[in-house]
Amino acid sequence: MSQLLTEEIAIGLKGRDFIGLADYTPAEVRYLIDLAIELKGKQKAGEIYHPLKGKTLGMIFEKSSTRTRVSFEVGMYQLGGHALFLSRNDLQIGRGETISDTAQTLSRYLDGMMIRTFAHRTVIELARAATVPVINGLTDLSHPCQALCDYQTVLEHKGRLEGLKVAYIGDGNNMVHSLMMGAAKLGMHISVATPEGYEPDADVVAMTKASATETGSRIHVCRDPKEAIADADVIYTDVWASMGFEAEQKERELAFAAYQVNEDLVRYAKNDYLFMHCLPAHRGEEVSEGVIDGKQSIIFDQAENRLHAQKAIMAAIM
Ligand code: CP
Ligand code: NVA
C-alpha cells in the first residue's frame, strides 16, 4: 500500500465506530491488520507509544469475558490511556436507564466505548446516540475484533491471506459471521459446515457474498464437514453453545456430534493446516484434545493478537 493511500485511510478511520467488518473497505481492513503488526513490533521492541495519552475507554460488559476485557484494558494502558470496566449490573442500564441516555451521558466523560452484549441492536443504539467511537466487543450476531486478530494471526503464520481457504466447522454463530465477512474483505475463501437448523444467518451470508465479489473471495455454506475441510489452509471451530444458549447445551451436543474437529477430520485438510479457535474451548466437544493442543494449533497466538489488533482499532478510530 502506498504511503499516500495509507495516510488517506488513516484520516478516514478517525472517529469511526467499529461495529462490524461490513462497514470497512477491503483496504481499511488490511490497513488495520498491518497496523496491528506494526504496533506488536513496537511493543516487542519495548518502544513507548502513547497516541491515546489522557484518553479513557469505557468497557460495558453484559456477558463474561477473559480475553476481551484484559486485552482492551492492557491495550489502552500500553497506548497511554486508561480503561474503565463497567458491568451491566453496576450501571443504571441494569435498572432500566435507556441505552440512548447512557450513551449520551458516557460520551461526556469518555473518548471511546467498547460493549459486549446480547442483542446486536444494543450496539447500534449505543453508537447512534454516542458522540464518541463505539467498538463491538461481541454480540449475538458478530465478533469483529476476534476475526480481525484471527486474520492477523493467519497472515503472520502463512505470509499471505489472499486465496487461502478457511474451513469453519460447527455452529453458525457470531464468530463465523465475522470470519465470513473478514474473509470476503481479504480475498480469502471460506467454507462453512453446520448441522441443519444451525446455519449462519441468511442475511449475513448474502451480505458477505456481495462483499466477496469485490475481492474474488468464495463463500460456501454446506452440511458436510469433510466437504468444508477439503484442502483447507485454516480450520476453525467454536463452542457449540455460545453465551446465552447454555440451556440448549444437551440438545446441541446431539445435533453437533458429527461436527467435532478431530484427528479423523483434519486428515482432509492440507498437511500444513493451522487450527484456530477463538476460545474459550471445550475439549472433547467441538475439538479433540489432540487437535487443539497439537503442533498445528495457534490458539494462543490468536489470543495474544487480540491485544495488538484492538490497539490498532483504538489507535485508528480514537
Ligand atoms: N475470544 C473471546 O472473546 O474471549 P473472551 O470471551 O474471554 O473475551
Ligand atoms: N461464540 C462464542 C464466542 C466467545 C468468544 C460466544 O458467543 O459465546
Side-chain angles (χ1 to χ4, degrees):
M1 219 180 278
S2 76
Q3 180 69 20
L4 206 60
L5 184 59
T6 307
E7 283 169 24
E8 201 175 308
I9 290 172
I11 292 168
L13 291 178
K14 280 196 186 134
R16 294 258 293 273
D17 297 313
F18 187 80
I19 295 176
L21 294 172
D23 308 331
Y24 283 69
T25 65
E28 287 170 343
V29 174
R30 184 53 199 246
Y31 168 88
L32 288 174
I33 290 179
D34 291 342
L35 183 59
I37 292 172
E38 185 188 325
L39 297 185
K40 184 175 181 174
K42 281 191 203 294
Q43 187 64 29
K44 301 270 179 204
E47 194 181 316
I48 304 290
Y49 181 61
H50 282 169
L52 300 185
K53 190 158 182 258
K55 301 210 174 194
T56 305
L57 176 80
M59 309 187 296
I60 304 172
F61 280 92
E62 299 195 329
K63 288 178 175 175
S64 311
S65 168
T66 296
R67 281 145 288 269
T68 305
R69 176 177 176 181
V70 177
S71 56
F72 267 106
E73 191 162 337
V74 171
M76 263 317 267
Y77 173 75
Q78 291 182 357
L79 292 171
H82 174 68
L84 269 181
F85 174 75
L86 305 164
S87 151
R88 179 197 164 87
N89 301 330
D90 303 333
L91 290 169
Q92 296 286 12
I93 298 179
R95 295 181 55 251
E97 185 166 20
T98 65
I99 296 293
S100 169
D101 286 355
T102 305
Q104 292 181 72
T105 304
L106 291 180
S107 293
R108 301 291 178 109
Y109 310 126
L110 301 169
D111 303 285
M113 282 182 235
M114 191 282 297
I115 178 165
R116 165 167 287 197
T117 186
F118 292 88
H120 193 71
R121 171 160 299 285
T122 304
V123 181
I124 306 281
E125 275 176 33
L126 192 79
R128 194 171 283 148
T131 55
V132 298
V134 169
I135 300 170
N136 173 2
L138 181 147
T139 67
D140 287 346
L141 189 75
S142 62
H143 197 3
C145 293
Q146 181 72 50
L148 189 73
C149 87
D150 289 337
Y151 289 132
Q152 174 197 343
T153 314
V154 174
L155 178 61
E156 289 171 341
H157 279 269
K158 293 280 185 197
R160 69 188 176 106
L161 291 172
E162 231 169 46
L164 292 183
K165 177 181 173 181
V166 181
Y168 177 94
I169 313 292
D171 188 20
N173 61 14
N174 47 7
M175 199 56 253
V176 76
H177 290 157
S178 293
L179 288 171
M180 285 166 72
M181 188 51 82
K185 296 286 175 178
L186 293 160
M188 302 171 79
H189 310 308
I190 184 164
S191 206
V192 178
T194 74
E196 197 178 345
Y198 297 95
E199 297 84 1
D201 181 90
D203 291 339
V204 174
V205 175
M207 231 165 83
T208 304
K209 285 188 172 167
S211 277
T213 58
E214 223 182 312
T215 60
S217 148
R218 285 195 301 272
I219 312 288
H220 174 65
V221 181
C222 65
R223 200 61 76 215
D224 182 4
K226 288 196 188 86
E227 181 186 331
I229 215 166
D231 287 322
D233 299 283
V234 174
I235 304 170
Y236 204 114
T237 190
D238 187 12
V239 290
W240 291 340
S242 285
M243 289 180 276
F245 295 85
E246 290 83 356
E248 298 176 14
Q249 176 69 27
K250 284 284 162 241
E251 69 185 77
R252 282 171 174 261
E253 278 173 25
L254 293 177
F256 286 95
Y259 288 79
Q260 185 187 72
V261 176
N262 53 32
E263 287 75 355
D264 279 344
L265 189 61
V266 300
R267 285 189 293 123
Y268 296 90
K270 289 212 178 107
N271 284 335
D272 63 347
Y273 75 83
L274 299 171
F275 174 77
M276 303 181 78
H277 192 307
C278 56
L279 304 178
H282 294 161
R283 286 168 176 77
E285 287 183 30
E286 72 273 10
V287 59
S288 68
E289 216 173 288
V291 170
I292 193 169
D293 297 320
K295 284 200 305 287
Q296 288 168 254
S297 170
I298 55 167
I299 54 172
F300 298 114
D301 294 337
Q302 292 174 256
E304 175 185 341
N305 282 341
R306 289 297 300 278
L307 172 66
H308 308 298
Q310 288 157 193
K311 280 172 72 179
I313 295 167
M314 293 189 290
I317 69 177
M318 287 170 67

